[in-house]
Amino acid sequence: MQRLRILVAEDDPLVAVTLSDQLTELGHDVIAVASDGEEAVTMTGQVQPDIVILDIKMPNRDGISAAEE
């Protein structure tokens, strides 16, 4: 299995930690956690993950518009 570098974007801190822990247990590297869609777009440009997991409803920018960019 390929080890992926993942950015998680989730505005609920408990969900973000739980998801990050589960991904780590599956053998992946969570390289960044964003708390809103705008931060996710900025961080994606900085850390260049293999995959971005986006919550759909987040403050400042939703996951749908962040994914489009």
Side-chain angles (χ1 to χ4, degrees):
M1 181 173 87
Q2 180 183 2
R3 187 177 188 108
L4 298 172
R5 298 171 65 251
I6 302 172
L7 183 148
V8 173
E10 170 59 60
D11 62 322
D12 183 324
L14 181 58
V15 173
V17 168
T18 302
L19 182 56
S20 296
D21 288 348
Q22 290 173 341
L23 291 166
T24 300
E25 287 178 19
L26 289 171
H28 302 293
D29 296 322
V30 176
I31 58 171
V33 177
S35 59
D36 64 46
E38 194 62 41
E39 186 178 26
V41 170
T42 300
M43 291 176 121
T44 297
Q46 294 170 347
V47 300
Q48 299 184 342
D50 298 316
I51 281 181
V52 178
I53 297 176
L54 297 159
D55 183 5
I56 292 174
K57 293 183 180 180
M58 291 185 287
N60 298 325
R61 187 170 197 176
D62 63 41
I64 304 285
S65 70
E68 288 173 346
E69 187 170 329

